[in-house]
Amino acid sequence: MPNDLDLIKFNVNQEEYNNLHSDTGCIIIDIIGTCKINEFLGKTNPEIFITDYHITKNVKYYF
């Protein structure tokens, strides 16, 4: 994700994980979430907690 923005989704089942994970390309999604700031060990990072999403496109890499 650009600009060091973390996207976080909790309680993901195996089917949902498989839909969101790709070793051979990228997945383009629209998300609805809540913006948060994480402060840990003196570092501050922006985060988005995903509440809902829609997969809009699966792109396969060709080498």
Side-chain angles (χ1 to χ4, degrees):
M1 192 77 205
N3 301 321
D4 294 326
L5 179 65
D6 294 328
L7 302 174
I8 300 170
K9 176 126 175 58
F10 292 107
N11 303 318
V12 176
N13 61 34
Q14 189 64 42
E15 180 182 357
E16 193 171 19
Y17 173 82
N18 292 340
N19 287 337
L20 293 171
H21 182 264
S22 175
D23 287 330
T24 60
C26 71
I27 299 167
I28 300 170
I29 62 173
D30 293 329
I31 64 166
I32 297 173
T34 305
C35 299
K36 304 273 185 175
I37 294 177
N38 179 15
E39 294 181 27
F40 184 71
L41 296 175
K43 293 180 75 175
T44 303
N45 297 317
E47 301 176 328
I48 296 178
F49 283 83
I50 299 172
T51 55
D52 197 12
Y53 67 91
H54 174 72
I55 297 173
T56 58
K57 194 174 191 181
N58 260 331
V59 179
K60 301 291 181 195
Y61 297 142
Y62 298 100
F63 297 99

